[in-house]
Amino acid sequence: MEFGKLLLQRGLVSQQQLELARTQAEGRRVDQVLIEMGALSEEQALQTLADDLGMRYVDVKEFDVDRELLVQFPTTAIFRHSLLPLVRVNGFVDVATSDPFDLEALDELSSLSGFQLRPVLACREDVVHLIKEHLGVGGDTITELVARAAEDDVELLEDIAEPSGELGDDAASASVIRLVNELLVEALIQRASDVHIEPHDTGLSVRFRVDGILHPQPVPPEINQFYAAIITRLKIMSRLNIAEKRLPQDGRIKLRISGREIDVRASVIPMLHGEGVVLRLLDKDRMSFDLKGVGMPAEIAQPFHELISLPHGIVLVTGPTGSGKTTTLYGALNEIKDDTTKIITVEDPVEYQTPGISQIQVHGKIGLTFAAGLRSILRHDPDVVLIGEIRDGETAQSAIQASLTGHLVFSTLHTNDAPGAFTRLMDMGVEPYLVASTLEGVLAQRLLRVLCPACKEEYSPRPEDLPPDLPYETARTLWRPVGCRECRGTGFSGRTGIFELLPTGSEVRRLCIDRADAGQIREFAIKNGMMTLRQCGWQKVREGVSTVEEVLRITKGDII
């Protein structure tokens, strides 16, 4: 029976869906078109195909691959055709494939390995993931490099103390370029925000930061001998000095990957066993500067909108590195941006280029600091000014002066909570009366991992399993992560913000002038109804957005 009719007979697709798929097929299999349309899952298609062809369908996600068997197969063919040898049974080797009709690929792998193969069907994404897990990201490229090194009988990437053309040539070789590109593409596929390439005494390690958590990546052990070329290639891409290995260097790479514009900030730091590299990936297509999209509750969004609509004053967003401060500030700028408002920013670096906003890049080597940039842009007739970060007393004083001369100033500060911003500014040397009169409000924030909607499950916690500040009466039904193909087994997909907003009322101003510490300001704010980071987190937990463990991981209890 024709496969489309078989799917129809089993009730997996409708007649209308099948006819639409046939019109779009253009030489492709109808089941592949149905999967692209979302009318059919790959798993359903492969299970039906297996029944029809008398083959076996396997779920390989939890399959224990025979590594001793795997090393007997050519890596390049495995990667090229997405074929994964699983286990040897009765003289045959079961090979997982998502395409039983690609007989040429099976014949090639059989002839290269010398084994008789028996195909079993499995989802392509699961097969590719297992191949990378067992053979490492870029494993096929590494195999080619090792083979070439063996043929030429030379050390391709020796650690050269002085600059030389050979080091640059090695880094510019097609295989090294492809290996670095594969690392970047894989990081993008996994939605990583950072790539950590770290040298150790035992070899090179690669880790991706996904949703704020570092995940080690499998890499072939042979990658160690090409470590120097990888670092040099990244330096070349970042326009850094490839000969300088003693001092830290920072650079920037602009890429287009699969049609998407990616900005990469590269940081190279000398370490005990070599140079470590961290790449910060800024995916412009995934960024959305919208206050509604950051997960701000209505009871915080409304007063925050009032703050950012003020004619003058300072509004601060605080939190640790990577807590989404810049995203929130750009969301605020986009909310108040119009043709009648002049907005100028001074940043280090300019992470996101935004139409309608004048942006200045800090350049410390030539004296263009935050403070110097701010003094200059005040002569440029702005209405709203964004300072990337208040790092020192000079910048703080400049921000104060800008607000006193009738400008609305946005900036970020590294404090653990909103009340801590007042004392932090005073510690920088700003007079308490100036802080009290210019600082209109502080928003503290963190990023909380969001449960994967495809696999999260409902459960009823025991009262003793809940923290004391999460009442059992309000949390009788919660959600927890499971892990599935959609979230790569983590149970989480994406992040959302939790917030703590402290507007500067008359009593907070008085406490500030009296040089009250952050604890006293915090105590007053909580007693007067401030929603803390912890409370905002519990609200997300009760809504099924995240978990108790996530809130405990990124916040501390409210002590009054």
Side-chain angles (χ1 to χ4, degrees):
M1 183 183 296
E2 192 259 327
F3 190 48
K5 292 182 180 178
L6 185 60
L7 293 171
L8 183 64
Q9 186 185 76
R10 296 196 175 190
L12 296 174
V13 296
S14 66
Q15 182 69 47
Q16 184 180 6
Q17 289 171 326
L18 182 58
E19 290 174 359
L20 180 61
R22 283 171 173 163
T23 60
Q24 298 178 4
E26 297 178 353
R28 293 181 297 163
R29 297 204 326 258
V30 69
D31 59 303
Q32 293 175 335
V33 180
L34 286 164
I35 292 170
E36 288 179 9
M37 290 168 49
L40 183 72
S41 72
E42 186 184 12
E43 188 173 352
Q44 290 173 320
L46 290 174
Q47 285 177 340
T48 306
L49 200 58
D51 292 343
D52 187 46
L53 298 175
M55 300 175 67
R56 190 161 62 96
Y57 172 83
V58 294
D59 185 353
V60 297
K61 288 196 295 293
E62 304 297 330
F63 200 93
D64 189 14
V65 177
D66 185 345
R67 293 187 65 85
E68 292 184 4
L69 174 66
L70 189 59
V71 297
Q72 299 179 56
F73 283 81
T75 307
T76 303
I78 289 175
F79 273 91
R80 184 165 62 246
H81 301 300
S82 297
L83 298 173
L84 178 63
L86 298 174
V87 65
R88 190 183 306 187
V89 181
N90 299 328
F92 288 88
V93 174
D94 285 348
V95 176
T97 178
S98 60
D99 186 359
F101 303 109
D102 191 359
L103 301 179
E104 289 185 8
L106 290 165
D107 288 343
E108 179 186 339
L109 189 63
S110 178
S111 62
L112 290 172
S113 64
F115 289 104
Q116 286 186 291
L117 306 182
R118 182 169 56 192
V120 296
L121 297 185
C123 290
R124 177 179 175 78
E125 187 176 328
D126 294 338
V127 172
V128 171
H129 177 73
L130 267 182
I131 289 172
K132 290 177 180 176
E133 181 179 318
H134 288 280
L135 296 176
V137 177
D140 54 336
T141 307
I142 286 293
T143 302
E144 291 178 12
L145 284 169
V146 172
R148 186 180 304 172
E151 289 170 7
D152 298 342
D153 196 28
V154 295
E155 183 71 26
L156 285 178
L157 308 167
E158 56 186 348
D159 191 9
I160 300 171
E162 298 295 328
S164 74
E166 183 183 353
L167 187 60
D169 290 345
D170 288 340
S173 70
S175 294
V176 172
I177 291 172
R178 186 149 64 92
L179 178 59
V180 171
N181 290 348
E182 283 180 20
L183 279 174
L184 293 171
V185 169
E186 181 65 19
L188 197 62
I189 290 171
Q190 294 193 30
R191 299 180 298 106
S193 60
D194 301 84
V195 177
H196 292 243
I197 303 172
E198 304 158 316
H200 303 285
D201 56 345
T202 55
L204 189 68
S205 73
V206 177
R207 294 189 290 176
F208 293 165
R209 190 179 293 280
V210 181
D211 294 336
I213 304 294
L214 280 172
H215 297 272
Q217 298 301 304
V219 291
E222 294 84 2
I223 198 173
N224 297 325
Q225 58 187 292
F226 308 107
Y227 155 72
I230 294 169
I231 302 301
T232 303
R233 172 63 186 165
L234 288 170
K235 283 183 177 181
I236 292 170
M237 293 172 71
S238 309
R239 303 172 189 262
L240 301 178
N241 182 357
I242 66 171
E244 180 56 75
K245 300 185 180 182
R246 302 163 300 170
L247 295 174
Q249 298 187 73
D250 294 312
R252 193 166 188 167
I253 310 169
K254 288 188 177 181
L255 299 173
R256 188 184 295 274
I257 300 177
S258 303
R260 293 155 66 178
E261 280 194 27
I262 310 295
D263 254 1
V264 182
R265 284 161 48 190
S267 173
V268 183
I269 296 181
M271 296 183 180
L272 188 62
H273 300 287
E275 291 176 290
V277 179
V278 174
L279 306 173
R280 166 68 59 88
L281 307 181
L282 303 171
D283 187 349
K284 295 182 179 180
D285 290 349
R286 280 181 51 208
M287 294 309 302
S288 175
F289 299 116
D290 178 8
L291 286 181
K292 295 177 182 177
V294 299
M296 193 177 289
E299 53 266 47
I300 289 180
Q302 179 58 36
F304 184 67
H305 179 76
E306 293 173 4
L307 280 177
I308 63 177
S309 302
L310 291 171
H312 55 77
I314 299 176
V315 178
L316 294 179
V317 178
T318 76
T321 302
S323 59
K325 300 187 296 296
T326 303
T327 302
T328 298
L329 282 176
Y330 269 100
L333 291 180
N334 279 332
E335 192 152 314
I336 63 174
K337 180 179 69 175
D338 58 36
D339 292 338
T340 65
T341 304
K342 172 82 169 186
I343 301 175
I344 305 181
T345 76
V346 51
E347 305 169 69
D348 182 21
V350 175
E351 294 186 356
Y352 309 106
Q353 297 175 25
T354 308
I357 297 176
S358 304
Q359 297 172 278
I360 299 171
Q361 168 78 52
V362 166
H363 202 318
K365 290 182 179 178
I366 59 172
L368 183 53
T369 61
F370 279 120
L374 185 53
R375 285 194 298 271
S376 299
I377 64 178
L378 291 182
R379 296 191 290 272
H380 220 68
D381 190 28
D383 298 297
V384 180
V385 175
L386 168 64
I387 308 171
E389 182 185 343
I390 295 179
R391 296 176 179 173
D392 50 44
E394 186 184 8
T395 308
Q397 293 286 0
S398 300
I400 295 287
Q401 292 303 317
S403 68
L404 289 172
T405 52
H407 302 88
L408 181 60
V409 180
F410 293 153
S411 190
T412 66
L413 199 62
H414 287 292
T415 62
N416 290 325
D417 56 15
F422 294 86
T423 53
R424 182 80 181 92
L425 287 174
M426 287 186 280
D427 289 343
M428 288 181 175
V430 181
E431 290 295 332
Y433 74 90
L434 288 175
V435 175
S437 61
T438 57
L439 187 53
E440 297 294 342
V442 183
L443 180 76
Q445 73 176 76
R446 300 288 188 279
L447 289 179
L448 198 67
R449 286 193 296 170
V450 174
L451 282 165
C452 173
C455 66
K456 67 177 183 179
E457 70 175 14
E458 198 174 348
Y459 76 103
S460 297
R462 298 178 303 175
E464 58 268 26
D465 292 338
L466 296 178
D469 56 339
L470 179 59
Y472 178 66
E473 294 73 24
T474 65
R476 291 179 180 272
T477 301
L478 300 178
W479 298 79
R480 60 188 171 198
V482 177
C484 66
R485 185 180 296 118
E486 297 293 324
C487 60
R488 294 180 172 266
T490 63
F492 296 93
S493 179
R495 289 188 289 177
T496 189
I498 58 172
F499 303 90
E500 173 180 288
L501 180 64
L502 177 56
T504 311
S506 58
E507 184 60 26
V508 173
R509 295 188 199 279
R510 186 189 64 77
L511 287 169
C512 189
I513 291 173
D514 292 343
R515 290 186 178 272
D517 61 32
Q520 292 173 289
I521 299 175
R522 182 175 183 78
E523 180 179 348
F524 169 80
I526 292 175
K527 285 181 178 177
N528 283 267
M530 180 183 77
M531 177 187 281
T532 65
L533 287 167
R534 185 84 152 200
Q535 291 166 353
C536 189
W538 292 144
Q539 183 173 312
K540 300 284 187 184
V541 168
R542 287 189 287 265
E543 292 170 355
V545 174
S546 194
T547 67
V548 172
E549 292 74 20
E550 269 296 290
V551 176
L552 292 175
R553 182 177 68 85
I554 65 169
T555 66
K556 65 178 184 178
D558 298 324
I559 302 173
I560 299 179

